[in-house]
Amino acid sequence: MADPTEVSVITLGGKGSSLSSTSVYAIAHGFALVRIDSSALDRLSSSSNDQNAASLKHHVFIPDFLTREEARAALVVLLNKLIISASSGIRSVIPVLIADKLNSRPETFRFESLDVTDEELSVFKQSCYVLNGICALLDHQSAALSSIADAVAGMSCEASKADVSAFSLMDSGDGFASKEEVGVANDMKVLLNGSKLVGKIESEAISKIPKVHGCLREQAKLVHSRVRVELNSSVKIGKGGSLSSGTEDTIRTALLSFAAMLWDLGKCSLERGKLILGSSGDDNIKASLAGLLDRECPSNESLKKEYRLVCELSLDEKHDEFVHTVNVLLVTVWKIFAWEATAALLTIEGGELMVKGQDVDTNEANEKVVKKNEKKKKAVLGKGTNVVVQLIKDRLQGKGGGLGSLENLVKDLLSFLDPKASQFDNLLKKIKEIVESNESRRLPKLPKGTRDFAKEQMAIRKKAFSIIEGVFERHGATTLDTPAFELRETLTGKYGEDSKLIFDLADQGGELCSLRYDLTVPFARYVAMNGLTSFKRYQIAKVYRRDNPSKGRYREFYQCDFDIAGQYEKMGPDFEVIKIMTELLDELNIGQYEIKLNHRKLLDGMLEICGVPPEKFRTICSSIDKLDKQSFDQIKREMVEEKGLTVETAERIGDFVKERGHPLDLLSKLKQEESVLLQNKGSSDALSDLEILFSALEKSKCIDKVVFDLSLARGLDYYTGVIYEAVFKGGTQVGSIAAGGRFDNLIGMFGSKQVPAVGISLGIERVLVIMEQNLKDQKQTARATKTDILVSILGDDLTLAAELASEMWSAKLHAEFLVNKRVMKHIDRAKESRIPWIVFLGEREVSEGIVKLKNVETFEEITIPRSNIIDELKKRLTP
């Protein structure tokens, strides 16, 4: 890809030297000469150069279906293998002859067959030189294609005025998105940063760019890692037979995925090309361009045909033809991207390019086009795409005249975007500079496990918080706020094995502090510190966990807690918090859910009956708590191999934790006379507690939402009684959405007296994921503002807006204002923000003492006296 007039020299066989795909590409295309290091020639057998004819009994050919560049790449690999192979039986004349062939002018290159010895033939066969040579070309070109594809796609986003919001939603902070997909999305944002052309046209061809181009990056890296090894591995002669079949199978596996990716990449580019031709722009240019695309650009059918041939050759194990056809497919995809770039550039700059290439003084029509372009407001491209477009324009316009016809312009564009073109390297270098520049580094990034929330998401959150607070306050709770960080000693020893997830802060002056892990321990600390004996409170605040982000799991997230502390009637507070849980989930309207419930004393009694030592209760509970994510066989292995239980004990635990059913039915079964649980005091007391609780839940008509599940363990150390966990049953997989239990001893850890307590924590982040998905499934979006009225001033008089909007705000109406002369600007603003009413006020309305009130949804418009507008709006906005 370098300028052929600036030919470099690449030395093979020197100490510490290695062959790269870039070097293979450069030599294969005549951009570099090859030189054999003198030390390498000394290692080869010069004494055997004069072989008799009888010993040269093998003929080696280059397959005639290869392109010239592929044949030359194969010879480069063969030359390197001959030089680095550990054999003294290789004649030095063979590498010298191959090097001479490679250093001849590419256009005159011809390779005759070679007569070789048995030992030399062994190196030829084991080197897989055709396979590895073409793979090196694929490796080099795929790395370049990755950068070019992103730049071309960025231009297409602007040419089609596409909605690019999908690029901002890729990294949700939960660690679940593909690294390469996130990288593509970030690079696209850099390229399009500041663009005024991207708009609201939604297209799957645009939204799937990160996924498809991310796959290109992944596959290109796999091919590169494989090729780098193959290019520089020596051939061992006489060490147990041929190694070529292993190489062929390994490369075939890698290239099959690579070919599938190329097919998807080409299809996606073709879709964007169609999207561009369907967007607004110069109809004459687009009509002519569409004709050229139909005649010249590879079609989806040709892509499919080439990919099918790749698969067939792979099955037939025709390895050289297989890799050659993958290269043909790559070249086809390159052509498709060149055509996409051409369509995008001509849509963005077409009129200007067409005219600047002509002698405009010779044609009156051209003068009109120039004047029209001069008057036309200049489109603002993204900072990255603008550099790319300008570079291409400079190259085209630097050629002088002759670009008058569309055909000539397209021909020159395609030539410039050819990876073998003399100036292509400059374009590729510039694109890499854009995405790797300081400008891109100034685009901030979120820490893993955290998220920003856009206005629509915040609208959903505010609605959810309002519902939650309403339920909590309905039950008489008051609110409490505690610091985001606590003394480390306050938090440690309260969370069992999860204590390792506490975020510790650096020592800032003698106190060791940590970010709060939950809201329950700070609540207990507050009650003990203030000597309270009873307290019903709720708290909605952020908590922090040093966890590995995953789907639905974050490092910073909100919890919504409700707790009751103090002495009350037996099981009364436990009943109320479970009832609150059902009210919350019902009123949030998330869909089907179930509440799994168990009792910690029942669990401890069960473990004692099974023979688990008391000191291992908590650690075994942590294992049992994983049963919703792992099979019992996995948990059994953990309990036996890691935690020291016998197989018999683990199996007895398995018999218990499989019990699950309707609360009253399973309770009746567990309380039968022969039940071993009744013979243990702890489990017997627990069953008595549950009998009271289930009766209360039945009377409150919410017991059908509860499942009695003996596998529920809840790993936190501070639970002492009833424990429960709500699980969403719909399609969105988010894990548990609420949980809690009784913790009678926690408050006593901070004070002199024990205060029993019970509580619930709602996993609001996961609930919000469900609510957002429900809106998407219903093809709805949340309204981000409460604005009911847009005060639209037709002109530039801010005082009119100040007066009228202030009257509305004084009347406690939700209003915004906009000052602009164009009516459609006001209507577009109202539609975008989903504002239902517009009040128009211009010079004529002011002179007549009226305003015009417009219903944005129905387009109904009425005239109202200026003095009556507030009363009229109140009447229309009153439910």
Side-chain angles (χ1 to χ4, degrees):
M1 289 185 290
D3 189 336
T5 62
E6 301 175 359
V7 177
S8 59
V9 177
I10 295 172
T11 300
L12 299 181
K15 185 177 181 181
S17 66
S18 62
L19 182 63
S20 68
S21 295
T22 300
S23 297
V24 174
Y25 187 92
I27 298 170
H29 286 81
F31 301 156
L33 299 176
V34 65
R35 172 181 169 270
I36 305 174
D37 188 82
S38 58
S39 63
L41 286 174
D42 292 341
R43 290 195 301 269
L44 297 173
S45 174
S46 58
S47 62
S48 59
N49 282 336
D50 298 324
Q51 297 282 343
N52 60 53
S55 65
L56 304 176
K57 53 188 177 182
H58 302 289
H59 302 287
V60 177
F61 302 88
I62 294 288
D64 56 8
F65 57 79
L66 299 185
T67 65
R68 182 177 62 200
E69 289 77 15
E70 289 173 340
R72 289 172 62 87
L75 286 181
V76 176
V77 172
L78 178 57
L79 174 59
N80 192 57
K81 293 287 186 181
L82 289 167
I83 292 172
I84 64 176
S85 292
S87 172
S88 60
I90 305 297
R91 295 172 296 152
S92 60
V93 67
I94 297 296
V96 171
L97 179 61
I98 293 174
D100 289 343
K101 288 290 184 183
L102 290 171
N103 289 335
S104 63
R105 293 179 62 83
E107 57 269 22
T108 62
F109 171 81
R110 281 191 63 191
F111 181 77
E112 308 293 342
S113 66
L114 281 176
D115 295 328
V116 298
T117 64
D118 290 338
E119 197 160 351
E120 289 165 346
L121 180 65
S122 178
V123 174
F124 276 51
K125 286 183 176 181
Q126 292 192 52
S127 67
C128 299
Y129 57 97
V130 172
L131 194 69
N132 288 321
I134 301 177
C135 278
L137 299 181
L138 290 170
D139 176 27
H140 179 80
Q141 293 179 96
S142 63
L145 178 59
S146 180
S147 297
I148 293 296
D150 293 346
V152 171
M155 291 164 58
S156 294
C157 290
E158 294 181 307
S160 59
K161 297 181 173 58
D163 177 11
V164 295
S165 59
F167 302 155
S168 299
L169 302 176
M170 283 300 303
D171 193 359
S172 60
D174 59 8
F176 206 68
S178 159
K179 177 182 176 182
E180 300 301 340
E181 289 179 30
V182 173
V184 171
N186 288 336
D187 288 349
M188 294 300 296
K189 288 191 288 185
V190 170
L191 288 164
L192 296 169
N193 186 24
S195 174
K196 301 298 183 184
L197 277 181
V198 290
K200 298 181 180 178
I201 298 177
E202 295 185 4
S203 170
E204 186 182 358
I206 300 298
S207 61
K208 67 183 179 183
I209 287 172
K211 186 172 289 294
V212 176
H213 290 207
C215 184
L216 167 61
R217 294 187 182 188
E218 290 172 357
Q219 295 301 323
K221 287 182 177 180
L222 288 174
V223 170
H224 175 72
S225 62
R226 187 69 259 165
V227 171
R228 183 180 59 179
V229 172
E230 295 297 337
L231 289 182
N232 295 286
S233 59
S234 61
V235 174
K236 306 294 183 183
I237 299 174
K239 299 292 183 180
S242 173
L243 302 174
S244 61
S245 60
T247 298
E248 290 164 347
D249 291 342
T250 302
I251 290 180
R252 180 183 60 185
T253 301
L255 290 188
L256 269 175
S257 298
F258 183 75
M261 174 277 303
L262 288 176
W263 183 33
D264 287 339
L265 195 68
K267 288 190 296 181
C268 192
S269 179
L270 286 171
E271 289 172 12
R272 290 194 297 270
K274 292 179 181 178
L275 183 66
I276 293 168
L277 293 178
S279 63
S280 59
D282 190 311
D283 291 338
N284 292 329
I285 291 179
K286 286 192 175 180
S288 301
L289 183 60
L292 279 173
L293 284 167
D294 286 341
R295 294 194 304 273
E296 306 291 341
C297 179
S299 65
N300 197 16
E301 194 57 39
S302 63
L303 260 182
K304 185 188 295 186
K305 182 178 179 181
E306 288 175 6
Y307 177 62
R308 185 182 292 117
L309 181 57
V310 167
C311 297
E312 291 172 356
L313 291 170
S314 171
L315 290 173
D316 293 340
E317 298 190 355
K318 297 179 179 179
H319 302 295
D320 292 348
E321 290 181 63
F322 162 72
V323 72
H324 161 74
T325 308
V326 175
N327 195 35
V328 171
L329 180 60
L330 176 61
V331 171
T332 300
V333 173
W334 263 111
K335 291 178 181 177
I336 292 172
F337 268 98
W339 275 102
E340 180 191 351
T342 302
L345 186 67
L346 288 174
T347 301
I348 296 170
E349 302 278 351
E352 182 181 346
L353 284 175
M354 294 289 292
V355 172
K356 285 191 176 181
Q358 303 178 48
D359 183 359
V360 295
D361 293 331
T362 63
N363 192 306
E364 183 180 348
N366 287 336
E367 291 179 2
K368 293 179 180 179
V369 175
V370 172
K371 291 178 181 178
K372 182 178 179 182
N373 284 334
E374 288 174 349
K375 292 180 181 178
K376 186 178 179 181
K377 185 178 180 181
K378 188 69 176 175
V380 179
L381 300 175
K383 291 181 179 179
T385 51
N386 183 58
V387 174
V388 176
V389 168
Q390 193 59 49
L391 189 68
I392 298 174
K393 285 170 60 181
D394 291 346
R395 160 70 166 77
L396 296 177
Q397 293 163 4
K399 289 175 67 75
L403 295 180
S405 71
L406 179 64
E407 288 80 359
N408 286 339
L409 183 58
V410 168
K411 181 179 178 181
D412 204 40
L413 266 170
L414 294 176
S415 174
F416 179 55
L417 294 171
D418 186 338
K420 298 187 290 293
S422 60
Q423 294 187 7
F424 182 81
D425 255 352
N426 189 33
L427 174 64
L428 185 62
K429 181 180 178 182
K430 185 62 67 175
I431 293 171
K432 289 182 177 179
E433 285 177 357
I434 292 167
V435 297
E436 295 173 1
S437 64
N438 288 331
E439 178 69 25
S440 71
R441 293 295 176 261
R442 285 198 293 271
L443 290 175
K445 182 184 177 184
L446 283 171
K448 287 183 178 180
T450 64
R451 295 171 296 167
D452 287 326
F453 298 100
K455 55 186 180 182
E456 292 81 8
Q457 292 172 299
M458 285 305 299
I460 297 173
R461 296 173 82 82
K462 288 186 67 176
K463 177 183 176 182
F465 286 149
S466 177
I467 292 171
I468 293 165
E469 288 179 352
V471 172
F472 288 161
E473 291 173 358
R474 187 189 308 152
H475 286 260
T478 56
T479 187
L480 171 70
D481 191 24
T482 57
F485 56 92
E486 298 272 353
L487 290 176
R488 192 172 301 170
E489 64 191 43
T490 300
L491 303 180
T492 53
K494 313 298 189 304
Y495 304 109
E497 294 183 3
D498 284 347
S499 291
K500 63 181 180 291
L501 303 181
I502 295 173
F503 259 117
D504 291 333
L505 300 178
D507 185 355
Q508 296 293 339
E511 288 188 334
L512 297 179
C513 298
S514 302
L515 293 176
R516 61 188 174 205
Y517 177 89
D518 66 4
L519 300 178
T520 304
V521 171
F523 162 72
R525 187 265 308 154
Y526 176 86
V527 172
M529 192 174 75
N530 289 277
L532 303 179
T533 56
S534 65
F535 189 31
K536 182 185 285 190
R537 82 87 172 87
Y538 74 88
Q539 184 174 358
I540 300 176
K542 288 182 177 180
V543 297
Y544 304 88
R545 297 186 182 177
R546 192 168 54 85
D547 209 345
N548 288 322
S550 60
K551 189 69 172 178
R553 187 180 292 272
Y554 303 96
R555 290 179 169 179
E556 178 194 65
F557 55 95
Y558 271 97
Q559 279 190 342
C560 302
D561 276 25
F562 180 99
D563 294 283
I564 303 174
Q567 295 287 351
Y568 294 89
E569 61 281 340
K570 192 175 183 64
M571 301 309 293
D574 307 76
F575 153 72
E576 186 171 12
V577 293
I578 296 173
K579 177 61 177 173
I580 286 171
M581 190 188 306
T582 64
E583 291 178 8
L584 285 172
L585 298 178
D586 288 341
E587 293 187 29
L588 288 168
N589 196 28
I590 61 170
Q592 294 297 314
Y593 65 89
E594 70 175 18
I595 298 172
K596 298 191 292 185
L597 186 147
N598 200 0
H599 198 296
R600 203 59 177 264
K601 289 182 179 178
L602 179 61
L603 195 60
D604 288 351
M606 177 188 78
L607 294 178
E608 185 178 343
I609 291 168
C610 292
V612 178
E615 64 272 14
K616 291 188 177 182
F617 280 7
R618 293 291 74 85
T619 186
I620 297 302
C621 281
S622 294
S623 297
I624 295 172
D625 196 41
K626 301 174 187 175
L627 276 170
D628 59 337
K629 305 178 188 71
Q630 300 178 22
S631 68
F632 181 74
D633 287 339
Q634 293 173 298
I635 301 302
K636 175 183 173 182
R637 191 178 305 115
E638 177 181 310
M639 290 190 293
V640 173
E641 296 177 3
E642 298 179 21
K643 299 187 176 180
L645 295 189
T646 65
V647 174
E648 294 75 14
T649 299
E651 288 177 349
R652 293 188 71 187
I653 292 173
D655 293 336
F656 277 109
V657 298
K658 292 173 185 175
E659 295 286 357
R660 185 179 190 275
H662 187 278
L664 294 175
D665 294 341
L666 182 54
L667 179 66
S668 176
K669 176 181 177 181
L670 297 179
K671 291 194 71 174
Q672 291 176 358
E673 289 185 9
E674 66 274 14
S675 173
V676 293
L677 293 173
L678 292 178
Q679 299 169 20
N680 179 278
K681 185 178 187 311
S683 58
S684 177
D685 290 345
L687 292 174
S688 298
D689 289 346
L690 292 175
E691 185 173 17
I692 298 171
L693 175 63
F694 292 161
S695 297
L697 292 173
E698 183 181 31
K699 292 296 182 181
S700 68
K701 298 181 172 54
C702 64
I703 198 169
D704 290 338
K705 302 287 179 67
V706 178
V707 175
F708 190 7
D709 188 340
L710 295 191
S711 71
L712 180 67
R714 302 290 297 150
L716 302 182
D717 280 359
Y718 53 65
Y719 286 126
T720 58
V722 175
I723 51 176
Y724 30 81
E725 180 177 276
V727 180
F728 180 58
K729 305 295 286 184
T732 306
Q733 299 300 312
V734 294
S736 65
I737 52 178
R742 174 163 285 280
F743 47 99
D744 287 347
N745 302 326
L746 180 60
I747 296 173
M749 293 182 181
F750 302 106
S752 58
K753 55 185 175 183
Q754 294 285 5
V755 180
V758 64
I760 174 182
S761 180
L762 179 69
I764 186 62
E765 303 293 352
R766 297 180 179 184
V767 169
L768 291 169
V769 169
I770 298 168
M771 294 175 71
E772 290 171 11
Q773 187 60 49
N774 288 345
L775 282 175
K776 285 182 183 178
D777 294 343
Q778 298 164 13
K779 297 189 176 352
Q780 296 179 4
T781 56
R783 189 176 166 208
T785 73
K786 294 183 178 181
T787 305
D788 294 318
I789 310 136
L790 178 63
V791 176
S792 297
I793 305 302
L794 300 174
D796 54 9
D797 191 346
L798 175 61
T799 61
L800 292 175
E803 180 183 16
L804 184 52
S806 294
E807 289 180 25
M808 294 184 183
W809 294 331
S810 297
K812 304 298 186 267
L813 298 176
H814 296 105
E816 299 178 35
F817 66 85
L818 176 63
V819 180
N820 196 289
K821 295 178 181 179
R822 299 176 59 188
V823 173
M824 283 309 299
K825 284 286 186 183
H826 297 275
I827 294 175
D828 289 344
R829 168 71 172 278
K831 287 181 177 179
E832 180 182 347
S833 300
R834 297 169 66 183
I835 300 172
W837 296 96
I838 302 177
V839 175
F840 285 112
L841 184 61
E843 290 182 5
R844 188 169 71 84
E845 287 79 11
V846 170
S847 63
E848 296 179 9
I850 60 171
V851 294
K852 290 182 179 177
L853 180 61
K854 186 179 186 69
N855 185 312
V856 177
E857 183 177 353
T858 65
F859 296 104
E860 174 192 4
E861 185 174 290
I862 59 174
T863 300
I864 298 171
R866 168 69 175 80
S867 58
N868 295 346
I869 184 60
I870 301 299
D871 291 337
E872 184 66 27
L873 286 169
K874 284 184 174 181
K875 183 173 66 175
R876 291 176 179 269
L877 293 172
T878 301

